[in-house]
Amino acid sequence: MATQRTLSIIKPEAVHNNNIGAIVSRFESQGLTVVAARMQHLTKAEAEGFYAVHKERPFFGELVEYITSGPVFIMTLEGENAIARNREIMGATNPAEAAPGTIRADFGESIGVNTVHGSDAEDTAKNEIAFFFQDGQVCNRCYK
Ligand code: CMP
């Protein structure tokens, strides 16, 4: 297994419900480390750009409207096998199908309002991290 980085977004309903800490704690307690973080209220253009891969999907308008409905908490997470690990910790896209104990099972409301986003592959992780963070904004976690 290799050390990887992946993009994580805590979505508007979870930020609104004051669940940032509870969700970050899930990642930290299960082997992932925050190496960049910022709160941001995405514009429509930013949301359309970030989710461009879904632009032909029937739910695209709803997705953009929702992700711009309030601030989101955007992070780069690092760890062994971080892309798959993050997806395990999040659970299935649809909270109704997410395994017990996963973030989406515990906090998600619906397939659209599903608490967190996470990159799905190495190339998307690289692109998604670069979409939000410049190189100098992602920290190597050294101490002393
Ligand atoms: P996310 O991981 O952010 O990536 C794209 C998002 O589209 C996904 O989470 C879901 O929230 C959303 N999505 C996927 N399928 C549907 C759907 N059928 N209806 C509404 N939203 C959807």
Side-chain angles (χ1 to χ4, degrees):
M1 278 196 299
T3 299
Q4 294 177 325
R5 286 176 173 172
T6 190
L7 189 86
S8 171
I9 301 178
I10 300 179
K11 296 187 177 185
E13 99 278 12
V15 171
H16 175 74
N17 291 332
N18 242 1
N19 282 326
I20 295 172
I23 291 166
V24 172
S25 179
R26 300 276 180 114
F27 294 130
E28 290 186 327
S29 64
Q30 292 177 81
L32 297 178
T33 299
V34 178
V35 292
R38 166 169 93 245
M39 185 178 282
Q40 184 172 335
H41 194 150
L42 301 182
T43 64
K44 185 166 185 271
E46 286 165 342
E48 286 174 347
F50 180 74
Y51 278 128
V53 67
H54 297 298
K55 68 175 183 297
E56 304 303 333
R57 303 282 195 97
F59 58 81
F60 185 64
E62 199 182 307
L63 175 61
V64 168
E65 189 176 340
Y66 165 61
I67 205 72
T68 58
S69 64
V72 294
F73 192 76
I74 309 162
M75 295 175 284
T76 299
L77 302 175
E78 184 179 86
E80 287 291 306
N81 213 15
I83 297 164
R85 189 84 194 98
N86 180 36
R87 294 177 71 75
E88 283 169 14
I89 297 166
M90 289 192 298
T93 303
N94 187 347
E97 294 165 6
T102 60
I103 292 171
R104 284 168 169 159
D106 290 346
F107 297 97
E109 295 177 15
S110 65
I111 194 166
V113 182
N114 65 350
T115 312
V116 278
H117 167 84
S119 309
D120 64 1
E122 271 187 62
D123 56 341
T124 39
K126 198 163 183 277
N127 292 337
E128 289 183 356
I129 291 168
F131 189 91
F132 287 113
F133 297 106
Q134 296 172 1
D135 286 347
Q137 297 174 320
V138 182
C139 292
N140 290 315
R141 289 284 296 265
C142 50
Y143 182 58
K144 291 186 180 172

